[in-house]
Amino acid sequence: MHVALMLYTGSRMLEVSGPMDVFHETNRLCGETVYEQHLVGPSPGPVQCSNGISVDTTECLRDGLPSFDLVVVPGASDVDPGRKHHELVDWLSDAGRSVRRLASVSNGARLVARAGLVDRRCLRDGKLYSSRGATDSIEMALLLVSEDLGEETALGVAKSLSRQCSWIRF
């Protein structure tokens, strides 16, 4: 499955890295690449996240992107109802309608809503998923793994991650 993890100026890296670790651990435990992850940004090159870290994108919204099975939109400290992050909102408005599943973390749901794809209060509605924040984004990613590969696989991923992070509950 092709997974797009969206990066934009000010996005919270923890809300990207949590789901990334779940998908990476799933691949490791399955012994194959079930989730092919793509870091997608508005332009090529580094994107500065809210914690000051710059992360290089692997793809750019301006390029011809592959069809994604899942798009994850993290939140940011400065997501507003205005025109900020308009490149991402415009891309979501087009591509978001054809993606198999769309997931947002915390106020990333505002960007999804600005694209006309979901009610901001939605937790799950058909192909749309959202979580309250970084910690819940891990549980949301585990739910997606459970739907794709079964509860046993998701539980194995949760147990493996919990050995590394004692605060994860499963």
Side-chain angles (χ1 to χ4, degrees):
M1 281 176 250
H2 293 276
V3 178
L5 298 132
M6 308 312 289
L7 293 174
Y8 55 93
T9 301
S11 56
R12 288 189 190 100
M13 190 60 212
L14 187 57
E15 295 181 7
V16 174
S17 64
M20 282 184 78
D21 279 347
V22 169
F23 299 136
H24 174 77
E25 190 67 8
T26 301
N27 290 345
R28 189 185 74 75
L29 291 175
C30 288
E32 63 178 307
T33 303
V34 177
Y35 296 99
E36 183 178 311
Q37 300 186 73
H38 305 263
L39 295 171
V40 181
S43 58
V47 173
Q48 187 166 9
C49 297
S50 64
N51 61 4
I53 293 174
S54 291
V55 179
D56 283 333
T57 60
T58 58
E59 276 88 19
C60 167
L61 294 176
R62 298 178 196 153
D63 298 338
L65 295 174
S67 175
F68 293 110
D69 299 292
L70 171 63
V71 173
V72 178
V73 182
S77 57
D78 63 349
V79 172
D80 63 25
R83 290 290 300 159
K84 200 168 200 170
H85 311 301
H86 63 87
E87 301 98 339
L88 175 56
V89 171
D90 291 346
W91 183 83
L92 284 170
S93 184
D94 292 334
R97 298 185 194 293
S98 63
V99 70
R100 192 172 130 229
R101 292 183 297 190
L102 180 61
S104 64
V105 182
S106 69
N107 64 356
R110 290 182 181 169
L111 296 171
V112 174
R114 279 180 41 205
L117 299 172
V118 68
D119 181 338
R120 292 179 202 180
R121 298 171 304 185
C122 173
L123 294 176
R124 181 173 183 222
D125 181 13
K127 70 178 185 175
L128 302 170
Y129 298 74
S130 63
S131 69
R132 293 179 293 181
T135 303
D136 292 331
S137 72
I138 294 169
E139 289 188 30
M140 178 182 66
L142 287 167
L143 170 65
L144 294 164
V145 169
S146 177
E147 290 179 1
D148 292 337
L149 303 172
E151 190 173 322
E152 187 175 322
T153 299
L155 186 58
V157 171
K159 285 180 180 179
S160 179
L161 288 173
S162 71
R163 285 190 280 278
Q164 300 164 32
C165 303
S166 62
W167 52 269
I168 295 177
R169 294 184 188 112
F170 54 90

